[in-house]
């Protein structure tokens, strides 16, 4: 959240005018995590490596969802959570090849969600670090 005095904003506010805030990509990463958590049951991944794809996707979805939710609510705090989510997105991109998934729908789901998480979480972290640097520069100048 952007805090100015007693005002608290998620995506807009005095400190974010004209700028994209880390909440938006984090909230979209949360939505991607929701899909990742339900995809094994909707698309029936259970035949892939004895349910390994199910377990990995659900576990990654739970971690990413929790961290993305925290980043959505308090976007100026814990940018390392977005870095962790980006790394988990990278894992989703390489997992089908490392673990040898054969089912196309599993590979496609992991690739698409992985790329989305990598991009959205990376963007959220970069935006937070930029805003922090800008705030520090403003404090030094003021």
């Amino acid at each position: 959240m952007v805090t100015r005095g007693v005002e608290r904003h998620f995506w807009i506010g005095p400190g974010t005018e004209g700028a994209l805030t880390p909440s938006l990509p984090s909230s979209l990463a949360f939505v991607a995590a929701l899909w990742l958590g339900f995809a094994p049951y909707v698309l029936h991944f259970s035949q892939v490596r004895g349910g390994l794809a199910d377990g990995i996707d659900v576990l990654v979805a739970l971690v990413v969802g929790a961290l993305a939710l925290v980043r959505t609510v308090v976007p100026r705090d814990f940018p390392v959570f977005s870095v962790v989510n980006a790394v988990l997105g990278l894992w989703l991109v390489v997992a089908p090849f490392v673990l040898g998934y054969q089912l196309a729908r599993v590979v496609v789901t992991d690739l698409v969600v992985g790329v989305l998480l990598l991009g959205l979480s990376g963007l959220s972290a970069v935006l937070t670090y930029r805003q922090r640097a800008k705030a520090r520069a403003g404090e030094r100048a003021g």
Side-chain angles (χ1 to χ4, degrees), residues 51-87:
L52 181 65
D54 289 11
I56 289 173
D57 283 0
V58 170
L59 180 63
V60 170
L62 288 171
V63 172
V64 168
L67 297 179
L69 188 59
V70 169
R71 290 283 295 143
T72 299
V73 175
V74 285
R76 295 186 69 174
D77 299 330
F78 312 114
V80 71
F81 287 2
S82 288
V83 174
V84 170
N85 281 350
V87 169

Short mmCIF file of all heavy atoms in Angstrom, two decimals, residues 51-87:
data_model
loop_
_atom_site.label_atom_id
_atom_site.label_comp_id
_atom_site.label_asym_id
_atom_site.label_seq_id
_atom_site.Cartn_x
_atom_site.Cartn_y
_atom_site.Cartn_z
N GLY A 51 1.07 -38.57 -10.69
CA GLY A 51 0.52 -37.46 -9.91
C GLY A 51 1.55 -36.44 -9.50
O GLY A 51 1.25 -35.50 -8.76
N LEU A 52 2.78 -36.58 -9.98
CA LEU A 52 3.85 -35.63 -9.63
C LEU A 52 3.51 -34.21 -10.09
O LEU A 52 3.70 -33.25 -9.34
CB LEU A 52 5.18 -36.07 -10.25
CG LEU A 52 6.39 -35.20 -9.95
CD1 LEU A 52 6.70 -35.24 -8.46
CD2 LEU A 52 7.59 -35.65 -10.76
N ALA A 53 2.96 -34.09 -11.29
CA ALA A 53 2.60 -32.77 -11.81
C ALA A 53 1.53 -32.12 -10.95
O ALA A 53 1.56 -30.92 -10.70
CB ALA A 53 2.13 -32.86 -13.25
N ASP A 54 0.57 -32.93 -10.49
CA ASP A 54 -0.48 -32.41 -9.59
C ASP A 54 0.14 -31.77 -8.36
O ASP A 54 -0.16 -30.63 -8.02
CB ASP A 54 -1.40 -33.52 -9.10
CG ASP A 54 -2.32 -34.08 -10.15
OD1 ASP A 54 -2.13 -33.76 -11.33
OD2 ASP A 54 -3.22 -34.83 -9.77
N GLY A 55 0.96 -32.55 -7.69
CA GLY A 55 1.55 -32.09 -6.43
C GLY A 55 2.41 -30.86 -6.60
O GLY A 55 2.32 -29.92 -5.81
N ILE A 56 3.23 -30.85 -7.63
CA ILE A 56 4.12 -29.70 -7.86
C ILE A 56 3.30 -28.46 -8.16
O ILE A 56 3.54 -27.40 -7.59
CB ILE A 56 5.12 -30.01 -8.98
CG1 ILE A 56 6.14 -31.03 -8.50
CG2 ILE A 56 5.80 -28.74 -9.46
CD1 ILE A 56 7.08 -31.52 -9.57
N ASP A 57 2.33 -28.58 -9.05
CA ASP A 57 1.54 -27.40 -9.42
C ASP A 57 0.74 -26.86 -8.25
O ASP A 57 0.65 -25.65 -8.05
CB ASP A 57 0.63 -27.71 -10.61
CG ASP A 57 1.38 -27.75 -11.93
OD1 ASP A 57 2.61 -27.53 -11.92
OD2 ASP A 57 0.74 -27.98 -12.97
N VAL A 58 0.15 -27.74 -7.46
CA VAL A 58 -0.64 -27.28 -6.31
C VAL A 58 0.26 -26.63 -5.26
O VAL A 58 -0.06 -25.58 -4.71
CB VAL A 58 -1.48 -28.42 -5.71
CG1 VAL A 58 -2.10 -28.03 -4.39
CG2 VAL A 58 -2.56 -28.84 -6.70
N LEU A 59 1.41 -27.24 -5.00
CA LEU A 59 2.34 -26.67 -4.03
C LEU A 59 2.85 -25.30 -4.49
O LEU A 59 2.84 -24.33 -3.71
CB LEU A 59 3.52 -27.62 -3.80
CG LEU A 59 4.57 -27.14 -2.81
CD1 LEU A 59 3.96 -26.99 -1.42
CD2 LEU A 59 5.74 -28.10 -2.78
N VAL A 60 3.24 -25.20 -5.74
CA VAL A 60 3.70 -23.90 -6.27
C VAL A 60 2.56 -22.90 -6.22
O VAL A 60 2.77 -21.73 -5.86
CB VAL A 60 4.27 -24.06 -7.70
CG1 VAL A 60 4.50 -22.71 -8.35
CG2 VAL A 60 5.56 -24.86 -7.67
N ALA A 61 1.35 -23.32 -6.55
CA ALA A 61 0.19 -22.41 -6.52
C ALA A 61 -0.07 -21.87 -5.12
O ALA A 61 -0.36 -20.68 -4.95
CB ALA A 61 -1.05 -23.11 -7.05
N LEU A 62 0.05 -22.72 -4.12
CA LEU A 62 -0.18 -22.28 -2.74
C LEU A 62 0.87 -21.25 -2.31
O LEU A 62 0.53 -20.22 -1.72
CB LEU A 62 -0.17 -23.47 -1.79
CG LEU A 62 -1.37 -24.40 -1.86
CD1 LEU A 62 -1.13 -25.65 -1.03
CD2 LEU A 62 -2.62 -23.68 -1.41
N VAL A 63 2.12 -21.53 -2.62
CA VAL A 63 3.19 -20.60 -2.23
C VAL A 63 3.05 -19.29 -3.00
O VAL A 63 3.07 -18.20 -2.40
CB VAL A 63 4.57 -21.23 -2.46
CG1 VAL A 63 5.68 -20.22 -2.24
CG2 VAL A 63 4.76 -22.44 -1.56
N VAL A 64 2.91 -19.37 -4.31
CA VAL A 64 2.79 -18.16 -5.13
C VAL A 64 1.55 -17.36 -4.74
O VAL A 64 1.61 -16.14 -4.62
CB VAL A 64 2.76 -18.51 -6.63
CG1 VAL A 64 2.35 -17.31 -7.48
CG2 VAL A 64 4.11 -19.03 -7.08
N GLY A 65 0.44 -18.04 -4.53
CA GLY A 65 -0.80 -17.35 -4.16
C GLY A 65 -0.67 -16.59 -2.85
O GLY A 65 -1.07 -15.43 -2.75
N ALA A 66 -0.08 -17.23 -1.86
CA ALA A 66 0.10 -16.57 -0.56
C ALA A 66 1.04 -15.37 -0.68
O ALA A 66 0.73 -14.28 -0.17
CB ALA A 66 0.64 -17.56 0.47
N LEU A 67 2.16 -15.55 -1.35
CA LEU A 67 3.12 -14.44 -1.48
C LEU A 67 2.56 -13.31 -2.34
O LEU A 67 2.76 -12.13 -2.03
CB LEU A 67 4.44 -14.96 -2.05
CG LEU A 67 5.20 -15.98 -1.20
CD1 LEU A 67 6.47 -16.42 -1.90
CD2 LEU A 67 5.47 -15.47 0.19
N ALA A 68 1.86 -13.66 -3.42
CA ALA A 68 1.27 -12.63 -4.28
C ALA A 68 0.17 -11.86 -3.55
O ALA A 68 0.02 -10.65 -3.73
CB ALA A 68 0.72 -13.25 -5.55
N LEU A 69 -0.58 -12.55 -2.72
CA LEU A 69 -1.63 -11.88 -1.95
C LEU A 69 -1.02 -10.87 -0.98
O LEU A 69 -1.51 -9.74 -0.85
CB LEU A 69 -2.49 -12.90 -1.22
CG LEU A 69 -3.74 -12.37 -0.53
CD1 LEU A 69 -4.66 -11.69 -1.54
CD2 LEU A 69 -4.47 -13.50 0.17
N VAL A 70 0.04 -11.27 -0.31
CA VAL A 70 0.73 -10.33 0.59
C VAL A 70 1.24 -9.13 -0.19
O VAL A 70 1.06 -7.99 0.22
CB VAL A 70 1.90 -11.02 1.33
CG1 VAL A 70 2.77 -10.01 2.05
CG2 VAL A 70 1.36 -12.05 2.31
N ARG A 71 1.84 -9.38 -1.36
CA ARG A 71 2.37 -8.28 -2.18
C ARG A 71 1.25 -7.39 -2.72
O ARG A 71 1.44 -6.21 -2.94
CB ARG A 71 3.19 -8.84 -3.33
CG ARG A 71 4.48 -9.46 -2.90
CD ARG A 71 5.54 -8.44 -2.57
NE ARG A 71 5.87 -7.72 -3.79
CZ ARG A 71 6.15 -6.44 -3.81
NH1 ARG A 71 6.17 -5.72 -2.72
NH2 ARG A 71 6.43 -5.83 -4.95
N THR A 72 0.06 -7.94 -2.94
CA THR A 72 -1.06 -7.14 -3.41
C THR A 72 -1.54 -6.19 -2.31
O THR A 72 -1.83 -5.03 -2.57
CB THR A 72 -2.22 -8.05 -3.85
OG1 THR A 72 -1.77 -8.87 -4.93
CG2 THR A 72 -3.41 -7.23 -4.31
N VAL A 73 -1.58 -6.67 -1.10
CA VAL A 73 -2.08 -5.88 0.02
C VAL A 73 -1.05 -4.86 0.49
O VAL A 73 -1.40 -3.72 0.80
CB VAL A 73 -2.53 -6.80 1.18
CG1 VAL A 73 -2.93 -6.00 2.39
CG2 VAL A 73 -3.67 -7.69 0.73
N VAL A 74 0.20 -5.25 0.55
CA VAL A 74 1.26 -4.33 0.99
C VAL A 74 2.37 -4.28 -0.07
O VAL A 74 3.44 -4.86 0.10
CB VAL A 74 1.84 -4.72 2.38
CG1 VAL A 74 0.89 -4.37 3.48
CG2 VAL A 74 2.21 -6.18 2.44
N PRO A 75 2.12 -3.59 -1.19
CA PRO A 75 3.05 -3.65 -2.31
C PRO A 75 4.41 -3.00 -2.07
O PRO A 75 5.36 -3.30 -2.78
CB PRO A 75 2.29 -2.92 -3.43
CG PRO A 75 1.34 -2.04 -2.73
CD PRO A 75 0.96 -2.76 -1.47
N ARG A 76 4.52 -2.14 -1.09
CA ARG A 76 5.81 -1.50 -0.84
C ARG A 76 6.69 -2.33 0.10
O ARG A 76 7.84 -2.01 0.32
CB ARG A 76 5.61 -0.11 -0.26
CG ARG A 76 4.94 0.81 -1.28
CD ARG A 76 4.86 2.20 -0.80
NE ARG A 76 6.21 2.76 -0.77
CZ ARG A 76 6.47 4.02 -0.50
NH1 ARG A 76 5.50 4.84 -0.24
NH2 ARG A 76 7.70 4.45 -0.48
N ASP A 77 6.13 -3.38 0.64
CA ASP A 77 6.85 -4.24 1.56
C ASP A 77 7.15 -5.58 0.90
O ASP A 77 6.44 -6.02 0.01
CB ASP A 77 6.03 -4.49 2.83
CG ASP A 77 5.71 -3.21 3.58
OD1 ASP A 77 6.52 -2.27 3.51
OD2 ASP A 77 4.65 -3.15 4.22
N PHE A 78 8.19 -6.22 1.35
CA PHE A 78 8.55 -7.58 0.96
C PHE A 78 8.72 -7.80 -0.54
O PHE A 78 8.16 -8.74 -1.11
CB PHE A 78 7.52 -8.59 1.49
CG PHE A 78 7.16 -8.42 2.93
CD1 PHE A 78 5.88 -8.04 3.29
CD2 PHE A 78 8.11 -8.61 3.92
CE1 PHE A 78 5.54 -7.87 4.62
CE2 PHE A 78 7.77 -8.45 5.25
CZ PHE A 78 6.48 -8.07 5.60
N PRO A 79 9.50 -6.98 -1.24
CA PRO A 79 9.69 -7.22 -2.67
C PRO A 79 10.37 -8.56 -2.95
O PRO A 79 10.23 -9.11 -4.03
CB PRO A 79 10.54 -6.05 -3.14
CG PRO A 79 11.19 -5.52 -1.91
CD PRO A 79 10.25 -5.80 -0.79
N VAL A 80 11.04 -9.10 -1.95
CA VAL A 80 11.68 -10.41 -2.13
C VAL A 80 10.62 -11.49 -2.38
O VAL A 80 10.91 -12.50 -3.04
CB VAL A 80 12.58 -10.76 -0.93
CG1 VAL A 80 11.78 -11.08 0.31
CG2 VAL A 80 13.53 -11.89 -1.27
N PHE A 81 9.39 -11.30 -1.91
CA PHE A 81 8.32 -12.26 -2.20
C PHE A 81 8.07 -12.34 -3.71
O PHE A 81 7.81 -13.42 -4.23
CB PHE A 81 7.02 -11.87 -1.49
CG PHE A 81 7.02 -12.10 0.00
CD1 PHE A 81 8.12 -12.59 0.67
CD2 PHE A 81 5.89 -11.83 0.74
CE1 PHE A 81 8.10 -12.81 2.05
CE2 PHE A 81 5.86 -12.05 2.11
CZ PHE A 81 6.96 -12.54 2.76
N SER A 82 8.13 -11.21 -4.38
CA SER A 82 7.95 -11.22 -5.83
C SER A 82 9.13 -11.89 -6.53
O SER A 82 8.96 -12.57 -7.54
CB SER A 82 7.77 -9.80 -6.37
OG SER A 82 6.50 -9.31 -6.00
N VAL A 83 10.31 -11.71 -5.98
CA VAL A 83 11.48 -12.39 -6.53
C VAL A 83 11.32 -13.91 -6.38
O VAL A 83 11.60 -14.67 -7.32
CB VAL A 83 12.78 -11.89 -5.86
CG1 VAL A 83 13.97 -12.69 -6.31
CG2 VAL A 83 12.98 -10.41 -6.13
N VAL A 84 10.85 -14.35 -5.23
CA VAL A 84 10.60 -15.78 -5.01
C VAL A 84 9.56 -16.29 -6.01
O VAL A 84 9.72 -17.35 -6.61
CB VAL A 84 10.14 -16.05 -3.55
CG1 VAL A 84 9.64 -17.49 -3.39
CG2 VAL A 84 11.28 -15.76 -2.58
N ASN A 85 8.49 -15.52 -6.22
CA ASN A 85 7.47 -15.92 -7.18
C ASN A 85 8.02 -15.99 -8.60
O ASN A 85 7.64 -16.87 -9.38
CB ASN A 85 6.26 -15.00 -7.12
CG ASN A 85 5.35 -15.30 -5.95
OD1 ASN A 85 5.51 -16.32 -5.29
ND2 ASN A 85 4.41 -14.43 -5.68
N ALA A 86 8.91 -15.07 -8.95
CA ALA A 86 9.53 -15.11 -10.28
C ALA A 86 10.39 -16.37 -10.43
O ALA A 86 10.37 -17.02 -11.48
CB ALA A 86 10.36 -13.85 -10.51
N VAL A 87 11.11 -16.72 -9.38
CA VAL A 87 11.92 -17.95 -9.43
C VAL A 87 11.02 -19.18 -9.56
O VAL A 87 11.32 -20.11 -10.31
CB VAL A 87 12.83 -18.04 -8.18
CG1 VAL A 87 13.48 -19.40 -8.07
CG2 VAL A 87 13.88 -16.94 -8.21
#
